Amino acid sequence: MRILIIEDEQKIINFIKKGLEAEYYTVDFVLDGEDGYFKALNERYDLILLDVMLPKMNGFELTKKIRERGVKTPILMLTARDTVEDKVKGLNAGADDYLPKPFSFDELLARTRALLRRATTEKSNIIKIFDLKIDTASHEVARGNQKINMTSREYALLEYLARNKNMVLSRTRIAQHVWGYDFDTQTNIVDVYIRYLRKKIDEGFDKKLIQTVRGAGYKIGE
Ligand code: CA
């Protein structure tokens, strides 16, 4: 699951990002409303955490504009302005939920999960590739009847490959998605993590699911 944070206070971003990454979510952030608007329009996210008071474009305006453009990504608004009027304004603009600051991480996580659950009830949470099963709601992974434990990065990498089943993904694309924009392209971190994944997913099984495509990158498929 991929989450976008639109917030101008770096301290709050760090606090949320660290917590969500520990819970196996992939997190991107931007620091103003305009950047948030472009990212929300042009990239696919499962949830947007949106501050109201933002430079360049406020959260109400941003919500209204992306809804007008047909973006249905759930939005959880975060704001210090805890008045009924603002709550109504946010929900009317097209936000799905509202969380007043200061909030505890546990509450943010509970609401995040609830929104993601709501958004995925019509769709299945399970991605299946041969006998590999990935539950994108609970983040449980199993091959056959064997449950597989993973670190948060390993899971994020596996989910990204699985969501793009049978598609070749370049190392750069994988790195940007799983490690974010501050990623140093000189490292071989993708190869290292693919090795970890192979150990957990493919080792001991006749059928290998993770494939190296020479000169291009990696893919997962049957
Ligand atoms: Ca703010």
Side-chain angles (χ1 to χ4, degrees):
M1 293 278 179
R2 203 165 171 226
I3 297 176
L4 174 64
I5 307 173
I6 309 174
E7 162 68 77
D8 57 332
E9 276 175 71
Q10 191 69 50
K11 257 172 72 182
I12 296 178
I13 293 172
N14 295 347
F15 164 70
I16 301 175
K17 190 171 187 287
K18 205 175 136 210
L20 289 176
E21 284 179 344
E23 295 293 327
Y24 299 67
Y25 296 103
T26 302
V27 181
D28 273 353
F29 68 88
V30 287
L31 297 158
D32 69 63
E34 257 172 35
D35 284 351
Y37 173 71
F38 286 112
K39 261 196 153 356
L41 272 192
N42 296 311
E43 292 186 43
R44 210 192 64 79
Y45 290 100
D46 300 292
L47 178 71
I48 298 170
L49 301 177
L50 176 63
D51 184 30
V52 172
M53 301 297 281
L54 284 169
K56 296 185 185 169
M57 187 191 301
N58 73 44
F60 298 131
E61 210 182 319
L62 189 153
T63 302
K64 204 165 159 274
K65 282 180 77 172
I66 65 168
R67 290 294 186 242
E68 280 167 6
R69 298 287 299 270
V71 175
K72 294 190 176 74
T73 314
I75 295 175
L76 173 56
M77 275 200 170
L78 312 171
T79 180
R81 300 163 62 190
D82 184 25
T83 67
V84 175
E85 200 183 302
D86 274 350
K87 211 176 281 189
V88 171
K89 203 171 162 187
L91 297 174
N92 279 344
D96 298 86
D97 198 2
Y98 188 100
L99 185 59
K101 287 179 188 170
F103 50 81
S104 71
F105 181 75
D106 285 349
E107 180 161 16
L108 175 83
L109 183 62
R111 290 186 187 230
T112 294
R113 284 186 174 143
L115 283 177
L116 291 172
R117 239 189 337 261
R118 209 192 295 167
T120 51
T121 41
E122 305 95 68
K123 301 179 265 166
S124 170
N125 295 332
I126 311 284
I127 303 176
K128 262 186 156 178
I129 300 162
F130 191 58
D131 59 350
L132 175 72
K133 262 193 286 179
I134 303 163
D135 184 330
T136 60
S138 68
H139 297 156
E140 278 168 2
V141 177
R143 180 126 194 218
N145 296 320
Q146 200 175 314
K147 196 172 173 275
I148 300 165
N149 291 314
M150 301 208 158
T151 66
S152 57
R153 290 287 189 204
E154 287 166 359
Y155 176 82
L157 172 60
L158 177 65
E159 191 189 290
Y160 184 53
L161 291 170
R163 281 186 186 275
N164 296 286
K165 188 162 89 173
N166 297 322
M167 264 175 65
V168 182
L169 301 168
S170 71
R171 287 176 177 79
T172 309
R173 221 175 127 188
I174 294 172
Q176 280 179 349
H177 184 94
V178 178
W179 280 270
Y181 294 89
D182 48 358
F183 175 75
D184 172 9
T185 48
Q186 301 306 305
T187 73
N188 64 342
I189 193 152
V190 174
D191 305 292
V192 171
Y193 270 79
I194 288 283
R195 216 149 49 224
Y196 294 160
L197 268 192
R198 279 192 162 128
K199 262 203 142 101
K200 294 190 173 178
I201 300 293
D202 280 339
E203 207 172 79
F205 292 91
D206 287 342
K207 191 162 179 66
K208 310 294 181 204
L209 302 176
I210 298 169
Q211 290 145 33
T212 305
V213 182
R214 283 189 77 175
Y218 296 103
K219 70 171 182 178
I220 195 164
E222 290 164 21

